[in-house]
């Protein structure tokens, strides 16, 4: 086993307390949340009170101002326990960092304390019914009204994580529809704005406790002050923040695969066929050996990417490589583990079955794995 060196002892202490928090406050309720289609508000509030949300937010805005390794711990522990409904990663690693990076002082004062204490759940709305991979094709538009004080926002979004629970949504919209990518901006839209409606909580094959929604905007008046960063810079901001999102996916992928492999090793030692333990078959040992070797390599790579990110050196192409490889590995490993469980592996009662369904989307969101290959390919030729 290769010892992990990316974390310090304080991260491991944080890990222990967060794991205990999840074991007490999320594990017992997750099956019910899967039926409800979302986790409870209370979970967010409690997590906020204990400092588990957006730990990188600076102290002057209510956070603890620590580095991204604390987010990584949260991502890993949520994944290890198979708590796929807990959308802290999307909030802390993806949405809130936009406000930290591009928000005005006033926006930071207004929103960040609530993002930290659990009063404000965030989402980011890029995808539309007609546009996913090709973000430049976004049709949602925001035009300044005659007074010049408000944008009038129109359009619809789909597949938005935390979409039902969100109090604040970062909406990707065209503020200059004729300017292509250069006409794209980010708007901070509060959920109680008139004309903003949350549509269906979408039914998915996995991540059942995660609320994934349609969002509709009809003549929503968004104060000009809620423009995030500069007008027309939205596409560039998205490109700058995507490596962190892909790192977050990679951390989740490898932690989930490691956890399912561990559980599978226990299972094959206990399960018997032909009067022997399943683990005594050479095929089982070879499969376990392959998976263990693959995950050893993947762990080194993801930890290196985390290290690079802390040093502000994780580039777009390396993050794309991580997202591509880690999610392919996650899906392959969970599939093999399911096979080793036989029919029980197909039963939702078993974590491996839920992990199988939960994992599939990792190859799709945060940029599909085909888009990752485009990014990597373009950097080569
Ligand atoms: C559970 C879930 C949660 C999500 N959460 C969010 C969220 O919080 N916010 C948000 O904005 N979005 C979210 N998404 C949307 C997600 O990011 C998109 O689904 C994804 O980007 C793909 O877009 P699409 O679905 O429109 O597929 P399409 O873009 O239509 O792609 C269809 C297929 O074509 C392939 N393809 C497309 N272009 C190319 C190309 N140039 N070359 C080769 N192949 C190509 C794709 O790889 C894919 O296989 C979520 C999706 C899901 C399922």
């Amino acid at each position: 086993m290769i010892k992990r060196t990316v974390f310090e002892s304080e991260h491991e202490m944080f890990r222990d307390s967060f794991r205990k928090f999840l074991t007490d406050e999320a594990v017992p309720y997750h099956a019910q949340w899967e039926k409800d289609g979302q986790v409870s508000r209370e979970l967010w509030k409690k997590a906020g009170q204990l400092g588990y949300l957006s730990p990188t937010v600076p102290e002057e805005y209510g956070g603890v101002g620590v580095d991204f390794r604390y987010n990584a711990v949260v991502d890993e522990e949520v994944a290890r326990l198979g708590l796929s409904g807990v959308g802290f990663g999307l909030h802390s690693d993806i949405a809130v960092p936009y406000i930290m990076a591009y928000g005005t002082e006033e926006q930071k004062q207004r929103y960040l304390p609530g993002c930290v204490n659990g009063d404000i759940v965030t989402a980011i709305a890029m995808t539309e019914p007609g546009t996913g991979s090709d973000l430049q094709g976004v049709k949602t538009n925001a035009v300044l009204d005659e007074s010049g004080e408000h944008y009038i926002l129109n359009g619809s979004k789909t597949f938005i994580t935390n979409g039902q629970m969100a109090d604040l949504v970062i909406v990707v919209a065209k503020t200059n529809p004729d300017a292509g990518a250069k006409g794209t901006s980010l708007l901070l839209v509060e959920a109680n704005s008139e004309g903003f409606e949350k549509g269906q909580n979408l039914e998915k094959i996995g991540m059942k406790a995660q609320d994934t929604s349609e969002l509709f905007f009809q003549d929503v008046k968004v104060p000009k002050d809620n423009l995030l960063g500069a007008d027309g810079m939205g596409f560039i901001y998205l490109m700058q923040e995507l490596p962190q999102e892909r790192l977050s996916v990679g951390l989740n992928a490898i932690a989930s695969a490691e956890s399912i492999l561990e559980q599978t090793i226990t299972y094959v030692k206990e399960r018997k066929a032909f009067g022997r333990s399943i683990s005594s078959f050479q095929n089982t040992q070879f499969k376990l050996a392959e998976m263990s070797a693959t995950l050893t390599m993947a762990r080194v790579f993801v930890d290196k990417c985390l290290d690079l990110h802390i040093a502000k050196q994780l580039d777009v192409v390396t993050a794309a490589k991580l997202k591509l490889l880690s999610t392919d590995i996650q899906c392959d490993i969970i599939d093999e583990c399911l096979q080793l469980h036989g029919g029980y592996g197909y039963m939702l009662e078993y974590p491996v079955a839920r992990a199988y369904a939960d994992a599939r989307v990792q190859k799709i969101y945060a940029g599909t794995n085909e888009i990752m290959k485009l990014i990597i390919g373009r950097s080569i030729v």
Side-chain angles (χ1 to χ4, degrees):
M1 197 175 141
I2 300 176
K3 192 173 178 302
R4 299 183 75 182
T5 52
V6 63
F7 295 110
E8 318 277 340
S9 60
E10 59 262 32
H11 300 108
E12 296 309 336
M13 278 159 61
F14 179 78
R15 185 188 299 282
D16 290 344
S17 62
F18 183 60
R19 186 179 294 182
K20 180 161 185 337
F21 168 77
L22 290 176
T23 307
D24 294 344
E25 304 291 345
V27 172
Y29 310 108
H30 204 263
Q32 182 58 44
W33 294 336
E34 291 191 355
K35 291 188 187 123
D36 299 342
Q38 62 182 54
V39 305
S40 71
R41 266 274 157 184
E42 219 187 329
L43 180 79
W44 282 87
K45 291 267 192 196
K46 285 185 181 164
Q49 281 156 13
L50 293 168
Y52 298 134
L53 299 178
S54 299
T56 52
V57 167
E59 284 176 35
E60 62 259 45
Y61 308 111
V64 265
V66 288
D67 68 52
F68 189 80
R69 284 176 290 180
Y70 287 84
N71 297 46
V73 167
V74 169
D75 295 337
E76 289 183 358
E77 292 309 309
V78 165
R80 258 182 231 292
L81 291 168
L83 299 168
S84 60
V86 178
F88 297 168
L90 186 285
H91 174 82
S92 305
D93 306 357
I94 301 167
V96 174
Y98 281 92
I99 307 175
M100 288 165 63
Y102 310 110
T104 59
E105 185 54 33
E106 195 273 326
Q107 289 168 345
K108 291 182 192 173
Q109 303 266 7
R110 183 156 29 123
Y111 294 122
L112 290 179
C115 295
V116 171
N117 72 22
D119 283 347
I120 299 178
V121 174
T122 58
I124 178 156
M126 302 178 246
T127 308
E128 301 184 353
T131 304
S133 302
D134 180 15
L135 269 182
Q136 300 195 26
V138 159
K139 292 271 186 297
T140 296
N141 61 80
V143 187
L144 276 179
D145 66 5
E146 282 171 8
S147 72
E149 292 302 315
H150 292 93
Y151 287 100
I152 304 298
L153 177 67
N154 279 288
S156 58
K157 299 286 180 180
T158 194
F159 305 151
I160 306 307
T161 301
N162 293 346
Q164 292 286 312
M165 301 199 77
D167 304 291
L168 182 69
V169 183
I170 299 170
V171 178
V172 179
K174 289 271 168 72
T175 44
N176 182 354
D178 302 325
K182 287 188 183 138
T184 308
S185 302
L186 307 183
L187 293 176
L188 289 161
V189 182
E190 296 182 10
N192 57 8
S193 309
E194 203 175 318
F196 174 11
E197 278 189 26
K198 295 172 176 175
Q200 282 189 70
N201 190 2
L202 300 163
E203 274 197 50
K204 307 182 291 297
I205 62 172
M207 301 184 87
K208 299 269 189 194
Q210 171 63 244
D211 50 315
T212 308
S213 299
E214 297 172 316
L215 304 176
F216 301 106
F217 307 97
Q218 194 179 1
D219 294 331
V220 180
K221 260 175 115 174
V222 182
K224 198 178 168 199
D225 287 348
N226 278 30
L227 176 71
L228 187 57
D231 187 273
M233 287 290 286
F235 207 75
I236 289 168
Y237 298 153
L238 291 170
M239 295 306 113
Q240 280 166 354
E241 295 301 307
L242 281 169
Q244 181 160 299
E245 175 169 358
R246 292 175 183 151
L247 172 61
S248 176
V249 170
L251 287 160
N252 177 300
I254 299 308
S256 164
E258 284 176 345
S259 169
I260 293 297
L261 178 58
E262 272 170 35
Q263 295 173 50
T264 303
I265 293 167
T266 306
Y267 182 84
V268 296
K269 284 182 183 164
E270 284 166 6
R271 179 76 181 166
K272 298 221 165 18
F274 299 95
R276 298 158 59 182
S277 137
I278 299 281
S279 62
S280 69
F281 298 126
Q282 190 185 48
N283 176 65
T284 306
Q285 291 174 12
F286 277 15
K287 290 291 177 197
L288 295 177
E290 283 167 9
M291 291 191 278
S292 173
T294 302
L295 279 178
T296 299
M297 185 186 63
R299 169 53 67 206
V300 173
F301 183 38
V302 73
D303 281 1
K304 180 67 186 174
C305 287
L306 178 54
D307 238 346
L308 287 171
H309 188 56
I310 298 302
K312 301 198 181 337
Q313 287 171 3
L314 181 65
D315 63 83
V316 170
V317 175
T318 307
K321 289 177 179 173
L322 174 66
K323 200 270 172 180
L324 170 67
L325 291 175
S326 62
T327 57
D328 277 350
I329 286 172
Q330 176 190 16
C331 289
D332 291 350
I333 285 191
I334 293 174
D335 185 45
E336 291 287 8
C337 287
L338 188 153
Q339 187 69 18
L340 288 173
H341 278 73
Y344 293 97
Y346 200 66
M347 299 299 131
L348 281 173
E349 185 192 336
Y350 279 75
V352 69
R354 296 196 299 276
Y356 179 82
D358 291 343
R360 187 60 183 83
V361 74
Q362 294 257 88
K363 299 204 252 190
I364 296 170
Y365 57 23
T368 66
N369 283 9
E370 291 71 35
I371 297 299
M372 297 307 102
K373 289 179 200 174
L374 276 182
I375 294 170
I376 301 160
R378 276 192 206 126
S379 76
I380 297 169
V381 291

